[in-house]
Coordinates of all heavy atoms in Angstrom, one line a residue:
R1 N 48.9 -80.9 84.6 CA 47.8 -81.3 83.8 C 48.2 -82.2 82.7 O 49.2 -81.8 82.0 CB 47.0 -80.1 83.3 CG 45.8 -80.4 82.6 CD 45.0 -79.1 82.3 NE 44.0 -79.4 81.4 CZ 43.1 -78.6 80.9 NH1 43.2 -77.3 81.3 NH2 42.2 -79.0 80.1
R2 N 47.6 -83.4 82.5 CA 48.0 -84.3 81.4 C 47.4 -83.8 80.1 O 46.3 -83.4 80.0 CB 47.5 -85.7 81.7 CG 48.5 -86.5 82.5 CD 47.9 -87.8 82.7 NE 48.4 -88.7 81.6 CZ 48.8 -89.9 81.8 NH1 48.8 -90.4 82.9 NH2 49.2 -90.6 80.7
A3 N 48.2 -84.0 79.0 CA 47.7 -83.7 77.7 C 46.8 -84.9 77.2 O 47.1 -86.0 77.6 CB 48.9 -83.6 76.7
L4 N 45.8 -84.5 76.5 CA 45.0 -85.6 75.9 C 45.7 -86.3 74.8 O 46.4 -85.7 74.0 CB 43.7 -85.0 75.3 CG 42.7 -84.4 76.3 CD1 41.6 -83.7 75.6 CD2 42.2 -85.4 77.3
R5 N 45.6 -87.6 74.7 CA 46.2 -88.3 73.6 C 45.1 -88.8 72.7 O 44.2 -89.5 73.1 CB 46.9 -89.5 74.2 CG 48.1 -89.1 75.0 CD 48.9 -90.3 75.3 NE 50.1 -89.9 76.1 CZ 51.0 -90.7 76.5 NH1 51.0 -92.0 76.2 NH2 52.1 -90.2 77.2
L6 N 45.2 -88.4 71.5 CA 44.3 -88.8 70.5 C 44.7 -90.1 69.8 O 45.9 -90.3 69.7 CB 44.1 -87.7 69.4 CG 43.6 -86.4 69.9 CD1 43.6 -85.3 68.7 CD2 42.2 -86.5 70.4
P7 N 43.8 -90.9 69.3 CA 44.2 -92.1 68.6 C 45.0 -91.7 67.4 O 44.8 -90.6 66.8 CB 42.9 -92.7 68.2 CG 41.8 -91.9 68.8 CD 42.4 -90.7 69.4
Y8 N 46.0 -92.5 67.0 CA 46.8 -92.1 65.9 C 46.1 -92.1 64.6 O 46.6 -91.5 63.6 CB 48.1 -93.0 65.8 CG 47.8 -94.5 65.6 CD1 47.8 -94.9 64.3 CD2 47.5 -95.3 66.6 CE1 47.5 -96.3 64.0 CE2 47.3 -96.7 66.4 CZ 47.3 -97.1 65.1 OH 47.0 -98.5 64.8
V9 N 45.0 -92.8 64.5 CA 44.2 -92.7 63.3 C 42.8 -92.2 63.6 O 42.1 -92.8 64.4 CB 44.0 -94.2 62.7 CG1 43.1 -94.1 61.4 CG2 45.4 -94.8 62.3
L10 N 42.5 -91.0 63.1 CA 41.2 -90.4 63.4 C 40.2 -90.8 62.3 O 40.6 -91.1 61.2 CB 41.4 -88.9 63.4 CG 42.3 -88.3 64.5 CD1 42.5 -86.8 64.3 CD2 41.8 -88.7 65.9
M11 N 39.0 -90.6 62.6 CA 37.9 -90.9 61.7 C 37.0 -89.7 61.8 O 36.9 -89.0 62.8 CB 37.2 -92.2 61.9 CG 36.3 -92.2 63.1 SD 35.3 -93.6 63.0 CE 34.1 -93.2 64.3
A12 N 36.2 -89.5 60.7 CA 35.2 -88.4 60.7 C 33.9 -88.9 60.3 O 33.8 -89.7 59.4 CB 35.7 -87.3 59.7
L13 N 32.9 -88.5 61.0 CA 31.5 -88.8 60.6 C 31.1 -88.0 59.4 O 31.3 -86.8 59.4 CB 30.5 -88.6 61.8 CG 30.5 -89.6 62.8 CD1 29.4 -89.2 63.9 CD2 30.1 -91.0 62.3
V14 N 30.7 -88.7 58.4 CA 30.3 -88.0 57.2 C 28.8 -87.8 57.2 O 28.2 -86.8 56.9 CB 30.8 -88.7 55.9 CG1 30.2 -88.1 54.7 CG2 32.3 -88.7 55.9
C15 N 28.1 -88.9 57.4 CA 26.6 -88.9 57.5 C 26.2 -88.9 58.9 O 26.3 -90.0 59.6 CB 26.0 -90.1 56.7 SG 24.2 -90.2 56.7
L16 N 25.7 -87.8 59.4 CA 25.3 -87.7 60.8 C 24.0 -88.4 61.1 O 23.8 -88.9 62.1 CB 25.3 -86.2 61.3 CG 26.6 -85.5 61.2 CD1 26.4 -84.0 61.6 CD2 27.6 -86.1 62.0
C17 N 23.1 -88.4 60.1 CA 21.8 -89.0 60.2 C 21.9 -90.5 60.5 O 21.2 -91.1 61.3 CB 21.0 -88.9 59.0 SG 20.5 -87.1 58.6
H18 N 22.9 -91.2 59.9 CA 23.0 -92.6 60.0 C 24.4 -93.0 60.7 O 24.7 -94.2 60.8 CB 22.9 -93.3 58.7 CG 21.6 -93.1 58.1 ND1 20.5 -93.9 58.5 CD2 21.1 -92.3 57.2 CE1 19.4 -93.5 57.8 NE2 19.8 -92.5 57.0
G19 N 25.2 -92.1 61.2 CA 26.4 -92.4 61.9 C 27.4 -93.1 61.1 O 28.0 -94.0 61.5
V20 N 27.6 -92.7 59.8 CA 28.5 -93.4 58.9 C 29.8 -92.6 58.7 O 29.8 -91.4 58.4 CB 27.9 -93.7 57.5 CG1 28.8 -94.5 56.6 CG2 26.5 -94.3 57.7
S21 N 30.9 -93.2 59.0 CA 32.2 -92.5 58.9 C 32.8 -92.6 57.6 O 32.4 -93.3 56.7 CB 33.2 -93.2 59.9 OG 33.6 -94.5 59.4
D22 N 33.9 -91.7 57.4 CA 34.6 -91.7 56.1 C 35.2 -93.0 55.8 O 35.3 -93.4 54.7 CB 35.6 -90.6 56.1 CG 36.7 -90.7 57.2 OD1 36.4 -91.2 58.3 OD2 37.8 -90.3 56.9
R23 N 35.7 -93.7 56.9 CA 36.3 -95.0 56.7 C 35.4 -96.0 56.0 O 35.7 -96.8 55.1 CB 36.8 -95.6 58.0 CG 38.0 -94.9 58.6 CD 38.4 -95.6 59.8 NE 39.3 -94.8 60.6 CZ 39.7 -95.2 61.8 NH1 39.3 -96.3 62.3 NH2 40.5 -94.4 62.5
V24 N 34.1 -96.1 56.5 CA 33.1 -97.0 56.0 C 32.8 -96.6 54.6 O 32.8 -97.5 53.7 CB 31.9 -97.0 56.9 CG1 30.7 -97.7 56.2 CG2 32.1 -97.5 58.3
I25 N 32.7 -95.4 54.3 CA 32.4 -94.9 52.9 C 33.5 -95.2 52.0 O 33.3 -95.7 50.9 CB 32.0 -93.4 52.9 CG1 30.7 -93.2 53.7 CG2 31.9 -92.9 51.5 CD1 30.4 -91.8 54.1
R26 N 34.7 -94.9 52.4 CA 35.9 -95.2 51.5 C 36.0 -96.7 51.3 O 36.3 -97.2 50.1 CB 37.2 -94.8 52.2 CG 37.4 -93.3 52.1 CD 38.7 -92.9 52.8 NE 38.8 -91.5 52.9 CZ 39.3 -90.7 52.0 NH1 39.7 -91.2 50.9 NH2 39.4 -89.4 52.2
A27 N 35.7 -97.6 52.3 CA 35.7 -99.0 52.1 C 34.6 -99.4 51.1 O 34.9 -100.3 50.2 CB 35.5 -99.7 53.4
E28 N 33.5 -98.8 51.1 CA 32.4 -99.2 50.2 C 32.8 -98.8 48.7 O 32.6 -99.5 47.8 CB 31.1 -98.5 50.6 CG 30.5 -99.1 51.8 CD 30.2 -100.6 51.9 OE1 30.2 -101.2 50.8 OE2 29.9 -101.1 52.9
I29 N 33.4 -97.6 48.6 CA 33.9 -97.1 47.3 C 35.0 -98.1 46.8 O 34.9 -98.5 45.6 CB 34.4 -95.7 47.4 CG1 33.2 -94.8 47.7 CG2 35.0 -95.3 46.0 CD1 33.6 -93.3 48.1
E30 N 35.9 -98.4 47.6 CA 37.0 -99.3 47.2 C 36.5 -100.7 46.9 O 37.1 -101.4 46.1 CB 38.1 -99.4 48.3 CG 38.9 -98.1 48.3 CD 39.8 -98.0 49.6 OE1 39.8 -99.0 50.4 OE2 40.4 -97.0 49.7
D31 N 35.3 -101.1 47.4 CA 34.7 -102.4 47.2 C 33.7 -102.3 45.9 O 33.1 -103.3 45.7 CB 33.9 -102.8 48.4 CG 33.6 -104.3 48.4 OD1 34.4 -105.1 47.9 OD2 32.5 -104.7 48.8
G32 N 33.7 -101.1 45.3 CA 32.9 -101.1 44.0 C 31.8 -100.1 43.9 O 31.3 -99.9 42.9
A33 N 31.4 -99.5 45.0 CA 30.4 -98.4 45.0 C 30.9 -97.2 44.2 O 32.0 -96.7 44.4 CB 29.9 -98.0 46.3
S34 N 30.1 -96.8 43.1 CA 30.6 -95.8 42.3 C 29.7 -94.6 42.2 O 29.9 -93.6 41.5 CB 30.9 -96.3 40.9 OG 29.7 -96.8 40.3
T35 N 28.6 -94.6 42.9 CA 27.6 -93.5 43.0 C 27.1 -93.3 44.4 O 27.3 -94.2 45.2 CB 26.4 -93.7 42.1 OG1 25.6 -94.9 42.6 CG2 26.8 -94.0 40.6
R36 N 26.5 -92.1 44.7 CA 25.9 -91.9 46.0 C 24.8 -92.9 46.3 O 24.7 -93.4 47.4 CB 25.3 -90.5 46.0 CG 26.2 -89.5 46.5 CD 25.4 -88.2 46.8 NE 25.5 -87.3 45.6 CZ 24.6 -86.6 45.2 NH1 23.4 -86.6 45.8 NH2 24.7 -85.8 44.1
D37 N 24.1 -93.3 45.3 CA 23.0 -94.3 45.5 C 23.5 -95.6 45.9 O 23.0 -96.3 46.8 CB 22.1 -94.4 44.2 CG 21.3 -93.2 43.9 OD1 21.0 -92.5 44.9 OD2 20.9 -93.0 42.7
E38 N 24.6 -96.0 45.3 CA 25.2 -97.3 45.7 C 25.8 -97.3 47.1 O 25.6 -98.2 47.8 CB 26.4 -97.7 44.7 CG 25.9 -98.1 43.3 CD 27.1 -98.5 42.4 OE1 28.0 -99.2 42.9 OE2 27.1 -98.0 41.3
I39 N 26.4 -96.2 47.4 CA 26.9 -96.0 48.8 C 25.7 -96.1 49.8 O 25.8 -96.8 50.8 CB 27.6 -94.7 49.0 CG1 28.9 -94.7 48.2 CG2 27.9 -94.4 50.4 CD1 29.6 -93.3 48.1
G40 N 24.6 -95.4 49.5 CA 23.4 -95.4 50.3 C 22.9 -96.8 50.5 O 22.5 -97.2 51.6
R41 N 22.8 -97.6 49.4 CA 22.3 -99.0 49.5 C 23.2 -99.8 50.3 O 22.7 -100.7 51.0 CB 22.2 -99.6 48.1 CG 20.9 -99.1 47.3 CD 20.7 -99.9 46.1 NE 21.7 -99.9 45.1 CZ 21.8 -98.9 44.1 NH1 20.9 -98.0 44.1 NH2 22.8 -99.0 43.3
R42 N 24.5 -99.6 50.3 CA 25.4 -100.4 51.0 C 25.5 -100.1 52.5 O 25.7 -101.0 53.4 CB 26.8 -100.4 50.4 CG 26.8 -101.0 49.0 CD 28.2 -100.7 48.4 NE 28.3 -101.2 47.1 CZ 29.3 -102.0 46.7 NH1 30.3 -102.2 47.5 NH2 29.4 -102.4 45.4
C43 N 25.5 -98.8 52.8 CA 25.7 -98.4 54.3 C 24.8 -97.3 54.8 O 25.0 -96.8 55.9 CB 27.2 -98.0 54.4 SG 27.6 -96.5 53.6
D44 N 23.8 -96.9 54.0 CA 22.8 -96.0 54.4 C 23.2 -94.5 54.4 O 22.4 -93.6 54.6 CB 22.2 -96.2 55.8 CG 21.4 -97.5 55.9 OD1 20.9 -98.0 54.8 OD2 21.3 -98.1 57.0
A45 N 24.5 -94.2 54.1 CA 24.9 -92.8 54.0 C 24.2 -92.1 52.9 O 24.1 -92.6 51.8 CB 26.5 -92.8 53.8
G46 N 23.8 -90.9 53.2 CA 23.2 -90.1 52.2 C 21.7 -90.3 51.9 O 21.1 -89.7 51.0
L47 N 21.1 -91.2 52.7 CA 19.7 -91.5 52.4 C 18.7 -90.6 53.1 O 17.5 -90.7 52.8 CB 19.4 -93.0 52.8 CG 20.2 -94.0 52.0 CD1 19.8 -95.4 52.5 CD2 19.9 -93.9 50.5
S48 N 19.1 -89.8 54.0 CA 18.1 -88.9 54.7 C 18.1 -87.5 54.3 O 17.5 -87.1 53.3 CB 18.3 -89.1 56.2 OG 18.0 -90.4 56.6
C49 N 18.8 -86.6 55.0 CA 18.7 -85.2 54.8 C 19.4 -84.7 53.5 O 19.1 -83.6 53.0 CB 19.1 -84.4 56.0 SG 20.9 -84.3 56.3
G50 N 20.5 -85.4 53.1 CA 21.3 -84.9 52.0 C 22.4 -84.0 52.3 O 23.2 -83.6 51.3
T51 N 22.6 -83.6 53.5 CA 23.7 -82.7 53.8 C 25.1 -83.2 53.5 O 26.0 -82.5 53.2 CB 23.6 -82.3 55.3 OG1 22.3 -81.7 55.6 CG2 24.7 -81.3 55.7
C52 N 25.2 -84.5 53.6 CA 26.5 -85.2 53.3 C 26.8 -85.4 51.8 O 27.9 -85.9 51.5 CB 26.6 -86.5 54.1 SG 25.4 -87.7 53.6
H53 N 25.8 -85.2 50.9 CA 26.0 -85.5 49.5 C 27.3 -84.8 48.9 O 28.0 -85.5 48.2 CB 24.8 -85.0 48.7 CG 23.6 -85.9 48.9 ND1 22.4 -85.8 48.2 CD2 23.5 -87.0 49.7 CE1 21.6 -86.7 48.6 NE2 22.2 -87.5 49.5
P54 N 27.6 -83.5 49.2 CA 28.8 -83.0 48.7 C 30.1 -83.7 49.2 O 31.0 -84.0 48.4 CB 28.8 -81.5 49.2 CG 27.4 -81.2 49.4 CD 26.8 -82.5 49.9
T55 N 30.1 -84.2 50.4 CA 31.2 -84.9 50.9 C 31.3 -86.3 50.3 O 32.4 -86.8 50.0 CB 31.1 -85.0 52.5 OG1 31.0 -83.7 53.0 CG2 32.4 -85.7 53.0
L56 N 30.2 -86.9 50.1 CA 30.2 -88.2 49.4 C 30.7 -88.1 48.0 O 31.5 -88.9 47.5 CB 28.7 -88.8 49.3 CG 28.1 -89.2 50.7 CD1 26.7 -89.6 50.4 CD2 28.9 -90.3 51.3
D57 N 30.3 -87.0 47.3 CA 30.8 -86.8 45.9 C 32.4 -86.5 46.0 O 33.1 -87.1 45.1 CB 30.1 -85.6 45.3 CG 28.7 -85.8 45.0 OD1 28.3 -87.0 44.9 OD2 27.9 -84.8 44.9
R58 N 32.9 -85.8 47.0 CA 34.3 -85.6 47.1 C 35.0 -86.9 47.4 O 36.1 -87.1 46.8 CB 34.6 -84.5 48.1 CG 34.3 -83.1 47.7 CD 34.9 -82.1 48.6 NE 34.3 -82.1 50.0 CZ 33.2 -81.5 50.3 NH1 32.6 -80.7 49.5 NH2 32.8 -81.6 51.6
L59 N 34.5 -87.7 48.2 CA 35.1 -89.0 48.5 C 35.1 -89.9 47.3 O 36.1 -90.6 47.0 CB 34.4 -89.7 49.7 CG 34.7 -89.1 51.1 CD1 33.7 -89.7 52.1 CD2 36.1 -89.3 51.5
L60 N 34.0 -89.9 46.6 CA 34.0 -90.7 45.3 C 35.1 -90.2 44.4 O 35.8 -91.0 43.8 CB 32.6 -90.6 44.6 CG 31.5 -91.5 45.2 CD1 30.2 -90.9 44.8 CD2 31.7 -92.9 44.8
A61 N 35.2 -88.9 44.2 CA 36.2 -88.4 43.3 C 37.6 -88.7 43.8 O 38.5 -89.0 43.0 CB 36.0 -86.9 43.1
A62 N 37.8 -88.5 45.1 CA 39.2 -88.7 45.6 C 39.6 -90.2 45.5 O 40.8 -90.4 45.1 CB 39.2 -88.3 47.1
V63 N 38.8 -91.1 45.8 CA 39.1 -92.5 45.7 C 39.3 -92.9 44.2 O 40.3 -93.6 43.9 CB 38.1 -93.4 46.4 CG1 38.3 -94.9 46.1 CG2 38.1 -93.1 47.9
H64 N 38.5 -92.4 43.3 CA 38.6 -92.8 41.9 C 39.9 -92.1 41.3 O 40.5 -92.7 40.5 CB 37.4 -92.4 41.1 CG 36.2 -93.3 41.5 ND1 36.3 -94.7 41.3 CD2 35.0 -93.1 42.0 CE1 35.1 -95.2 41.7 NE2 34.4 -94.3 42.2
E65 N 40.2 -90.9 41.8 CA 41.4 -90.2 41.3 C 42.6 -90.9 41.8 O 43.6 -91.1 41.0 CB 41.4 -88.8 41.8 CG 42.6 -87.9 41.4 CD 42.5 -86.5 41.9 OE1 41.5 -85.8 41.5 OE2 43.3 -86.1 42.7
S66 N 42.6 -91.4 43.0 CA 43.7 -92.2 43.6 C 43.9 -93.5 42.8 O 45.0 -93.9 42.5 CB 43.4 -92.5 45.0 OG 44.4 -93.3 45.6
D67 N 42.8 -94.1 42.5 CA 42.9 -95.4 41.7 C 43.4 -95.1 40.3 O 44.2 -95.9 39.8 CB 41.5 -96.0 41.5 CG 40.9 -96.6 42.8 OD1 41.7 -96.8 43.8 OD2 39.7 -96.9 42.9
S68 N 43.1 -94.0 39.7 CA 43.5 -93.7 38.3 C 45.0 -93.4 38.4 O 45.8 -93.8 37.5 CB 42.8 -92.5 37.8 OG 41.5 -92.7 37.6
A69 N 45.5 -92.7 39.4 CA 46.9 -92.4 39.5 C 47.7 -93.7 39.7 O 48.8 -93.8 39.2 CB 47.1 -91.4 40.7
T70 N 47.2 -94.6 40.5 CA 47.9 -95.8 40.8 C 48.0 -96.7 39.5 O 49.0 -97.3 39.2 CB 47.1 -96.7 41.9 OG1 47.0 -95.9 43.0 CG2 47.8 -97.9 42.2
C71 N 46.9 -96.7 38.7 CA 46.9 -97.5 37.5 C 47.9 -96.9 36.5 O 48.5 -97.6 35.7 CB 45.5 -97.6 36.9 SG 44.4 -98.6 37.9
A72 N 48.0 -95.6 36.5 CA 48.8 -94.9 35.5 C 50.3 -95.0 35.8 O 51.2 -94.9 34.9 CB 48.5 -93.4 35.4
A73 N 50.6 -95.3 37.0 CA 52.0 -95.3 37.5 C 52.7 -96.6 37.0 O 52.3 -97.5 36.5 CB 52.1 -95.3 39.0

């Protein structure tokens, strides 16, 4: 039996209502989106049920924290 080969770069769907992945959301944040509302306007993530809001908040914090660490170095 052959082992399944996964792509070397995985992605995760964050917003299931609109099919938006973490990659798309990170790209929007890196391009200047700094709130959930801005992310929603740019790619529709978080505009429906709200289940993804905690994950959007974590991605915002992680990207901004990463930017701060890069600037401080």
Side-chain angles (χ1 to χ4, degrees):
R1 186 172 168 180
R2 273 183 90 134
L4 293 176
R5 292 188 181 187
L6 297 176
Y8 64 93
V9 178
L10 298 175
M11 71 169 196
L13 280 180
V14 173
C15 179
L16 298 178
C17 296
H18 295 281
V20 185
S21 73
D22 62 324
R23 289 184 194 174
V24 170
I25 294 166
R26 286 179 189 274
E28 295 299 348
I29 295 169
E30 289 170 359
D31 197 39
S34 59
T35 66
R36 267 191 266 144
D37 288 337
E38 287 181 48
I39 292 170
R41 282 193 296 274
R42 292 172 180 230
C43 66
D44 294 335
L47 294 181
S48 292
C49 77
T51 302
C52 63
H53 286 183
T55 304
L56 294 175
D57 292 339
R58 283 193 297 274
L59 286 169
L60 280 163
V63 171
H64 290 298
E65 183 177 296
S66 173
D67 288 347
S68 296
T70 302
C71 291

